[in-house]
Amino acid sequence: MRLLRLGNPGAEAPAVRTGDGRTFALSGLTGDIDGAFLASGGIERVRRALAEEALPLLDPAGLRVGAPVARPGKVVCVGLNYRDHAEETGAAIPPRPVVFMKDPATVVGPYDRVLIPRNSVKTDWEVELAVVIGREARYLGSPADAAGVIAGYAISNDVSEREFQLEFSAQWDLGKSCETFNPLGPWLVTPDEAGDPQLLGLRLAVNGTARQDGNTKNMIFDVTYLVWYLSQYMVLNPGDVINTGTPAGVALGLPGTPYLRDGDTVELSIDALGTQCQTFANA
């Protein structure tokens, strides 16, 4: 299944898109797609309702697509998780996951405008596989236990301001938490439809020019390891989002460092998870 939220910011309505391209409203089943919905078995309720043909058809034409998960409690990010990305930035291959937090208020819809911060000269892109947590994960026994707490996957653009991130602070928060810096979606795709999370191609283009073309098989630390690892240090709650890292091809590592400017358009895709596209504008 592909869960999504349609409507104006703050007034999105939950929906589900089936494999044949039809969209059904979920407003009679839940008020939103959020942590409470995921924790209470919401995905299985939707699955049953679809099987029973109990959901009304919805025409999504003209409706804004919001982030597929409302109000994540936290966005946990993993840096330098692709060997080629670490190499292009001149960083050593990390012996343990590099973990940082991103303000959850940065999460916006997959086609929303993204704002280049005032005084920014190094706003950058990062296509990433996002993991959405569906059940509490606390001190998981092993990576094998991680699959049972994952609600699904989505595309994430971990937008970053490199000067803020790397030059203005010893921590990365300043360059990662600017407003609108985490487009997410268009869908929350359940694991059965997403397939093997370690065999997904990731692509990103800027103004039609291909910049990133990677595959999750090249992660240093795979999805289940990351979920297990993080659960040893923090409680992962339903609705939380984990950005799992980006492959090579960011502006920081390209010749001429072609950072984003007002009017630039970025298009991202991940196998089985759809596409997203943003136009960047000065704040």
Side-chain angles (χ1 to χ4, degrees):
M1 291 189 303
R2 303 170 186 176
L3 299 170
L4 67 161
R5 300 166 65 248
L6 301 170
N8 294 330
E12 295 94 342
V16 61
R17 180 172 176 176
T18 54
D20 58 9
R22 292 182 297 167
T23 302
F24 295 88
L26 296 179
S27 52
L29 196 65
T30 181
D32 213 338
I33 299 170
D34 54 15
F37 166 81
L38 297 172
S40 63
I43 289 178
E44 289 309 312
R45 291 200 304 275
V46 173
R47 204 182 300 276
R48 289 195 299 269
L50 282 172
E52 296 167 1
E53 300 183 347
L55 297 173
L57 270 171
L58 172 67
D59 182 2
L63 295 176
R64 169 185 171 270
V65 180
V69 180
R71 301 177 296 277
K74 56 183 172 287
V75 177
V76 188
C77 301
V78 181
L80 305 175
N81 196 32
Y82 287 73
R83 187 176 300 272
D84 57 357
H85 175 55
E87 290 173 349
E88 74 173 345
T89 63
I93 303 301
R96 297 165 65 96
V98 175
V99 178
F100 61 94
M101 309 294 284
K102 190 163 190 167
D103 181 358
T106 59
V107 173
V108 294
Y111 309 109
D112 288 349
R113 184 178 62 171
V114 175
L115 298 177
I116 297 173
R118 295 178 184 180
N119 302 312
S120 167
V121 294
K122 296 182 179 181
T123 294
D124 205 345
W125 58 82
E126 292 189 10
V127 59
E128 305 202 9
L129 174 67
V131 178
V132 178
I133 299 298
R135 293 175 48 205
E136 181 183 272
R138 177 178 177 272
Y139 295 115
L140 294 178
S142 73
D145 297 326
V149 304
I150 295 173
Y153 303 95
I155 304 171
S156 181
N157 189 354
D158 178 19
V159 185
S160 309
E161 210 299 341
R162 301 302 187 188
E163 186 178 36
F164 297 1
Q165 175 192 355
L166 301 172
E167 301 175 41
F168 288 179
S169 174
Q171 298 183 349
W172 290 1
D173 304 56
L174 291 182
K176 294 287 188 174
S177 290
C178 304
E179 60 180 332
T180 72
F181 261 28
N182 204 141
L184 187 69
W187 311 310
L188 169 58
V189 181
T190 52
D192 59 316
E193 184 163 341
D196 187 342
Q198 303 308 146
L199 289 175
L200 299 176
L202 309 87
R203 292 161 293 276
L204 181 146
V206 180
N207 300 327
T209 299
R211 293 301 191 185
Q212 291 185 277
D213 187 1
N215 194 290
T216 57
K217 68 182 180 182
N218 296 320
M219 285 183 180
I220 297 170
F221 305 102
D222 66 23
V223 165
T224 56
Y225 183 89
L226 291 173
V227 174
W228 166 80
Y229 180 85
L230 292 171
S231 80
Q232 308 306 303
Y233 300 97
M234 64 185 77
V235 178
L236 299 173
N237 294 304
D240 286 350
V241 173
I242 302 170
N243 288 339
T244 58
T246 197
V250 300
L252 176 64
L254 290 173
T257 55
Y259 291 113
L260 294 166
R261 297 291 182 258
D262 181 57
D264 285 347
T265 298
V266 177
E267 184 171 0
L268 307 82
S269 66
I270 297 181
D271 294 345
L273 305 186
T275 63
Q276 58 172 242
C277 184
Q278 304 95 38
T279 297
F280 282 66
N282 291 329

